[in-house]
Amino acid sequence: MKTIHTSFSEAVNDIKDGSTIMVGGFGLVGIPENLILALVDSQVKHLTVISNNCGVDDWGLGLLLKNKQIDKMIGSYVGENKEFERQVLSGELEVELTPQGTLAERIRAGGAGIPAFYTPAGVGTPIAEGGEVRTFGDKEYLLQTALKADFSLVRAAVGDKDGNLVYNKTAQNFNPMMAAAGNVTIAEVEQLVETGSIDPDHVHTPGIYVQRLIEGKQEKKIERMTVRQEA
Amino acid sequence: MAKQVDKAAIRERIARRAEREIVSGSYVNLGIGMPTMVANYIQDGKQVVLQSENGLLGIGKYPLKEEVDPDLINAGKETVTAQKGASFFSNAESFAMIRGEHLDLAILGGMEVSEKGDLANWMIPGKMIKGMGGAMDIVHGAKKIVIIMDHVNKQGEPKILKQCSLPLTGKNVVDRIITDRAVIDVKEDGLELVEVAEGWTADQIIDSTEAELKISENLQTDTY
């Protein structure tokens, strides 16, 4: 059965130096806030982090970055973080930039037993340099390999004790694919419910992909508050 | 200050012209920045479903202050709402939708476009690389790719070139370029000038474009 943690530090204490971790979220939306904070406290180092973005200077993965716990970052857009820029320029941090759809599919493939796939994205660009390009029909495609992780840290709105997860709105983003691509997947859920409380038709991530769960209150910081005035 | 006002007016002019590319009933992805502004000018009566690559089909208006939901953003990380009939999904599903050519149109920003329809819009060598986000996937996805940008750069040099000097986002992907001065189509045999904006002449457009321009038989002037 699934492990239900009550302490975030306990939830991450087997993530060792040099681990590869996937962290869900798009910008600050759908990130497992408390698991990231627990990793900061754990002082684990030399991490390879796979995540679309790298947080902002004072929140999300930006905290791990500031604490110099990340050696390598695989993502698609890292422009929101000044510390990121400093560490890349000084050579402290290695970055692998991947088109966003390719990143999502590499992770999906990792969890789905597909070692590699061809995609049109990136053909004729710097990311295709040294890569394998093949023509299907009248179009060229670039070979991309799957990604897997030692640990995947995901965030869901609701999780039951069997690990079934439901996401809220655009907080879904990379979380479902990452849940499947982690050797160990730890789900931080806003609400932990009894098994059977989620309608099976409404499950986004089936419990088979989730090994451990913990309930956590989220701050849900907003990166760009954009509002309209009442008409 | 006057210059800033001009800049805003030019962006609005480009965005309003780009809006005319949107056919009622279509699915559209708007890039981050100026392309996002196009949504502000969608004409009444047009039914459009806007896709956001972070997992939303059916972007609504920006929320009222009391409607803000931190779990609901667009790809530019701005808080948004979901319109009636919207759906949420993962990034893998979102890009399957994009690569699978289910979107009718994408309107994206550009730094340079070549006469073959190559696009450069993600990095400048020597400057910090922020990442390509979804642009490299989107340029191969939507059925029609429209690039909106200034006709020339800050130094007054052409941005529509024989060959891009910046690293590419995609090769041979652009269908149409809309600038503050003109509308140019990418055809098999090169670029074709199809519209000239108010205040400009075809000769001026040719002079401010490095790539060779064929003038369309149906060239229209003062269209925007």
Side-chain angles (χ1 to χ4, degrees):
Chain A
M1 281 295 86
K2 309 302 176 187
T3 305
I4 312 288
H5 293 286
T6 49
S7 141
F8 283 95
S9 59
E10 180 196 295
V12 300
N13 78 359
D14 53 345
I15 301 182
K16 299 295 180 209
D17 288 358
S19 295
T20 294
I21 61 169
M22 289 183 181
V23 182
F26 183 98
L28 300 179
V29 174
I31 62 171
E33 298 181 2
N34 296 290
L35 288 171
I36 294 171
L37 290 170
L39 277 181
V40 174
D41 287 342
S42 80
Q43 299 292 334
V44 62
K45 294 233 180 327
H46 306 299
L47 295 172
T48 292
V49 176
I50 302 167
S51 190
N52 189 53
N53 314 97
C54 200
V56 294
D57 282 330
D58 59 353
W59 193 239
L61 291 173
L63 298 171
L64 280 178
L65 195 69
K66 191 151 76 178
N67 218 15
K68 301 190 173 146
Q69 292 172 268
I70 306 177
D71 279 7
K72 181 175 179 183
M73 176 77 207
I74 301 175
S76 88
Y77 188 82
V78 291
E80 315 294 353
N81 195 313
K82 289 186 203 76
E83 175 65 11
F84 194 96
E85 178 167 351
R86 195 196 64 72
Q87 289 189 19
V88 172
L89 294 175
S90 69
E92 293 165 61
L93 178 67
E94 188 189 341
V95 198
E96 180 181 328
L97 288 171
T98 301
Q100 196 182 122
T102 297
L103 179 65
E105 193 63 14
R106 290 177 74 189
I107 298 166
R108 198 197 71 79
I114 305 285
F117 59 92
Y118 286 94
T119 174
V123 170
T125 78
I127 68 149
E129 280 165 20
E132 182 186 326
V133 174
R134 188 169 155 184
T135 303
F136 295 91
D138 57 357
K139 207 168 159 175
E140 289 179 320
Y141 297 83
L142 178 63
L143 186 71
Q144 292 282 357
T145 53
L147 289 170
K148 287 187 71 81
D150 300 315
F151 293 88
S152 282
L153 311 183
V154 302
R155 218 258 329 267
V158 185
D160 73 18
K161 291 181 174 171
D162 276 1
N164 295 303
L165 304 179
V166 177
Y167 306 101
N168 184 44
K169 303 188 178 77
T170 56
Q172 180 172 161
N173 54 63
F174 284 83
N175 284 299
M177 297 81 77
M178 287 182 174
N183 287 333
V184 174
T185 292
I186 311 170
E188 175 170 345
V189 299
E190 292 172 60
Q191 200 192 349
L192 183 66
V193 298
E194 291 302 322
T195 298
S197 336
I198 302 173
D199 181 338
D201 262 334
H202 294 168
V203 171
H204 289 131
T205 290
I208 191 168
Y209 298 125
V210 177
Q211 282 69 48
R212 289 145 55 168
L213 295 108
I214 184 163
E215 192 175 53
K217 195 170 161 36
Q218 308 297 309
E219 284 195 33
K220 299 193 180 180
K221 293 189 178 179
I222 293 175
E223 231 169 306
R224 293 211 177 89
M225 172 79 85
T226 322
V227 294
R228 74 174 196 272
Q229 304 301 320
E230 195 93 51
Chain B
M1 193 64 203
K3 203 173 174 189
Q4 275 180 356
V5 171
D6 277 350
K7 209 172 165 189
I10 286 170
R11 284 164 70 89
E12 183 178 332
R13 173 189 251 197
I14 298 172
R16 282 187 186 278
R17 175 58 191 83
E19 187 276 337
R20 293 192 220 156
E21 299 297 309
I22 300 175
V23 175
S24 189
S26 59
Y27 293 97
V28 180
N29 181 292
L30 300 175
I32 293 161
M34 184 161 62
T36 301
M37 283 172 53
V38 174
N40 301 339
Y41 305 110
I42 294 176
Q43 297 170 51
D44 289 344
K46 253 190 207 179
Q47 290 191 335
V48 183
V49 180
L50 297 176
Q51 199 250 19
S52 192
E53 60 266 28
N54 57 317
L56 164 58
L57 190 62
I59 307 173
K61 292 178 178 169
Y62 288 121
L64 294 170
K65 208 170 171 195
E66 59 273 20
E67 287 176 338
V68 168
D69 181 337
D71 281 343
L72 182 44
I73 60 166
N74 64 16
K77 298 168 184 112
E78 298 172 329
T79 49
V80 292
T81 60
Q83 73 179 18
K84 207 194 285 179
S87 52
F88 299 114
F89 34 84
S90 72
N91 277 65
E93 179 79 44
S94 177
F95 281 93
M97 202 177 279
I98 289 168
R99 272 188 246 96
E101 298 184 18
H102 300 283
L103 295 180
D104 298 293
L105 170 69
I107 300 176
L108 306 172
M111 295 175 184
E112 293 176 350
V113 179
S114 82
E115 62 188 8
K116 291 200 167 62
D118 299 345
L119 170 69
N121 75 351
W122 75 286
M123 69 172 281
I124 299 171
K127 288 203 175 175
M128 180 60 196
I129 301 167
K130 294 181 170 184
M132 66 293 278
M136 284 190 186
D137 310 273
I138 294 169
V139 293
H140 290 282
K143 288 172 192 142
K144 184 173 181 183
I145 303 292
V146 173
I147 301 303
I148 60 175
M149 62 182 191
D150 292 329
H151 202 91
V152 297
N153 65 20
K154 283 180 194 143
Q155 288 74 44
E157 298 157 348
K159 294 173 62 155
I160 303 170
L161 307 169
K162 289 187 195 304
Q163 244 184 341
C164 293
S165 65
L166 296 170
L168 297 185
T169 305
K171 205 173 69 175
N172 195 8
V173 291
V174 178
D175 295 297
R176 173 167 273 197
I177 310 160
I178 298 175
T179 74
D180 51 316
R181 302 181 185 180
V183 177
I184 294 167
D185 281 345
V186 182
K187 300 273 178 134
E188 295 234 330
D189 56 346
L191 300 179
E192 186 173 281
L193 178 63
V194 290
E195 286 180 40
V196 177
E198 276 174 37
W200 298 92
T201 65
D203 283 343
Q204 285 173 317
I205 304 301
I206 289 167
D207 286 346
S208 55
T209 306
E210 187 203 83
E212 203 160 310
L213 286 183
K214 228 174 31 168
I215 296 183
S216 165
E217 286 173 15
N218 305 310
L219 178 73
Q220 293 180 291
T221 53
D222 298 339
T223 49
Y224 63 106

